[in-house]
Amino acid sequence: MSLVEEIEAIYKEAVSELSKLNSEDELDNKKNLFVGKKGKLTQILKTMGSLTVEERKTLGKLANETQEKIDSLVASQRIKIKDFFYENTLKNEFFDVLRPIAEPNLNGTLHPLTQIQHEIEAIFTSMGFSIMDGPEVETDYNNFEALNFKADHPARDTQDTFYTTDGKLLRTHTSAIQVRALRNLKPPFRIIAPGRVFRYEEVDASHETTFYQVEGMVVGKDISIANLIYTMETLLSEIFQKKVKTRLRPGYFPFVEPGFELDIQCLVCGGKGCSVCKHSGWLELLPCGLVHPNVLEAGGLDSKDWTGFAFGLGLDRLVMMRYGIHDIRYLHSGNLRFLKQFQS
Ligand code: FA5
């Protein structure tokens, strides 16, 4: 048989073999028998060395054309296989949209942040606090100025701010509620104000750009640090249902004097150090302090007559500690597998 006849025979065989296949895997394997590296057509081309230049030209052309014909045969067979698969699926599969679900589990669930927020609200209302709400879009005055952050105060840089085009801002902390409370409520009063806050921050395992805080404020006569510490300890032991290790260190916030940072020993790693506590074993959870006289005055009260304490609890970090969540980003991920763990 001449080489030309052999090539024609290979093509005939390819047509008969490939056109009866009905799976893409088989098609790919069989195709390689003809045009792959070790395929029959390639083997023939390897024997062309002994031919004259003229013969090689003719044969090379024929081999190329045959290769193209086999490639297009493979492509059209692939379409046929796919069409067959879809037709078959349509014929044999039936989806009954009205069929009742075997085990209905259509209950939604409250987000862990909301669950803990509700618990905190219950703890504080049982201690005589009322719950206050404030806007997320705030004035510079309520968020900074009235809280003793004067313009150009360096502490403004600790809370990188998103500004709106009409000169307002997204509140960077729930402390923005403090002056609203002082103005609108008649002292003495005790309030908490849970809410969402925003900061232009780099996101990592313990920092989000959007997170939740619970502000607390107590205003009355002769309020002391002892009142503040007692309230904080009651809150934490109620939330964790066990004694947790805390430490109080001086903290600077322009709107409290003195100011403190109440840290909690990291419950994710037990104080050994992990990415959540930045390997320190402690997590900043509850900054607090006695209300600065300038804030009382900005709220229209005489600071000689009135005193108070305030705190700002980071709700996301509290949820993380309570459930041992190692990355804050899970909380806002909308990941159903994560959220289902908190189904009550
Ligand atoms: C404040 O926001 C003050 N307003 C708190 C305060 C209130 C102090 C009343 C004194 C009196 P700070 O920036 O540290 O402080 O944030 C408070 C808490 O919010 C932190 O302890 C932390 O738990 C949480 N927090 C802060 N930044 C982030 C962030 N980027 N992502 C998640 N949680 C955060």
Side-chain angles (χ1 to χ4, degrees):
M1 204 192 288
S2 72
L3 286 176
V4 171
E5 283 167 342
E6 272 191 52
I7 292 176
E8 284 167 356
I10 289 171
Y11 179 65
K12 264 195 196 149
E13 190 189 348
V15 173
S16 111
E17 287 292 320
L18 297 176
S19 54
K20 64 185 177 204
L21 298 177
N22 49 24
S23 111
E24 285 196 79
D25 285 345
E26 278 182 308
L27 184 65
D28 290 328
N29 289 337
K30 267 273 159 61
K31 167 191 145 189
N32 289 336
L33 286 183
F34 300 103
V35 291
K37 261 191 192 159
K38 293 186 180 155
K40 294 182 178 180
L41 198 59
T42 321
Q43 295 308 315
I44 287 210
L45 291 176
K46 282 187 186 158
T47 65
M48 282 182 12
S50 56
L51 303 179
T52 63
V53 174
E54 212 41 49
E55 282 171 327
R56 255 188 271 161
K57 250 193 200 164
T58 325
L59 215 67
K61 189 166 176 264
L62 180 64
N64 280 342
E65 285 167 0
T66 308
Q67 160 116 25
E68 276 168 22
K69 283 199 295 188
I70 293 178
D71 283 344
S72 75
L73 182 68
V74 169
S76 67
Q77 188 63 17
R78 197 181 296 284
I79 293 170
K80 273 191 206 151
I81 291 171
K82 281 196 173 135
D83 286 350
F84 176 76
F85 171 77
Y86 292 132
E87 268 171 37
N88 225 24
T89 310
L90 279 177
K91 243 189 253 159
N92 298 324
E93 284 185 12
F94 171 69
F95 182 64
D96 182 357
V97 284
L98 297 175
R99 189 173 162 184
I101 304 166
E103 242 185 281
N105 183 4
L106 305 173
N107 296 336
T109 176
L110 289 179
H111 193 282
L113 279 163
T114 314
Q115 290 183 25
I116 288 220
Q117 181 184 321
H118 288 176
E119 279 181 40
I120 290 174
E121 288 173 358
I123 293 166
F124 278 104
T125 47
S126 77
M127 293 196 281
F129 282 68
S130 46
I131 299 169
M132 211 177 142
D133 199 11
E136 290 175 346
V137 178
E138 259 294 4
T139 57
D140 182 276
Y141 182 78
N142 285 341
N143 196 83
F144 288 125
E145 187 93 23
L147 293 176
N148 215 15
F149 289 89
K150 301 292 174 233
D152 303 327
H153 193 299
R156 283 186 178 223
D157 295 343
T158 60
Q159 299 184 1
D160 281 334
T161 311
F162 291 112
Y163 289 92
T164 61
T165 45
D166 59 355
K168 292 195 169 169
L169 50 80
L170 299 186
R171 66 178 175 188
T172 57
H173 53 176
T174 44
S175 299
I177 206 93
Q178 288 192 11
V179 178
R180 290 179 180 274
L182 289 167
R183 291 244 181 80
N184 296 324
L185 305 175
K186 235 170 96 57
F189 66 79
R190 304 170 200 186
I191 56 120
I192 57 162
R196 193 160 56 154
V197 300
F198 310 84
R199 288 185 199 174
Y200 182 58
E201 290 214 56
E202 203 163 318
V203 173
D204 63 21
S206 55
H207 290 85
E208 263 289 0
T209 51
T210 300
F211 57 100
Y212 291 80
Q213 290 185 337
V214 179
E215 192 75 8
M217 191 179 206
V218 171
V219 173
K221 304 273 180 183
D222 304 321
I223 302 288
S224 70
I225 294 174
N227 300 133
L228 165 66
I229 293 175
Y230 173 77
T231 312
M232 300 297 92
E233 282 184 349
T234 309
L235 165 67
L236 293 176
S237 54
E238 289 278 333
I239 285 286
F240 290 105
Q241 291 290 304
K242 63 174 177 184
K243 199 128 184 69
V244 287
K245 274 203 179 159
T246 57
R247 67 178 187 189
L248 199 63
R249 27 180 199 104
Y252 175 70
F253 301 93
F255 41 98
V256 284
E257 182 55 42
F260 304 101
E261 283 283 3
L262 192 135
D263 298 341
I264 176 173
Q265 191 174 61
C266 183
L267 298 176
V268 173
C269 63
K272 288 196 198 90
C274 66
S275 58
V276 174
C277 61
K278 297 226 163 69
H279 306 281
S280 70
W282 294 92
L283 207 80
E284 233 177 79
L285 193 68
L286 244 173
C288 49
L290 296 187
V291 181
H292 196 290
N294 290 356
V295 177
L296 293 167
E297 301 281 344
L301 299 189
D302 187 337
S303 59
K304 283 189 223 74
D305 295 339
W306 296 102
T307 47
F309 72 73
F311 60 88
L313 172 71
L315 204 56
D316 304 59
R317 295 209 189 144
L318 185 69
V319 172
M320 291 170 78
M321 286 297 103
R322 162 110 155 231
Y323 295 111
I325 298 166
H326 61 272
D327 198 315
I328 195 170
R329 286 165 281 202
Y330 277 115
L331 292 174
H332 304 272
S333 65
N335 179 331
L336 286 181
R337 281 180 61 217
F338 169 77
L339 292 172
K340 273 191 178 150
Q341 301 174 91
F342 305 97
Q343 214 152 21
S344 39

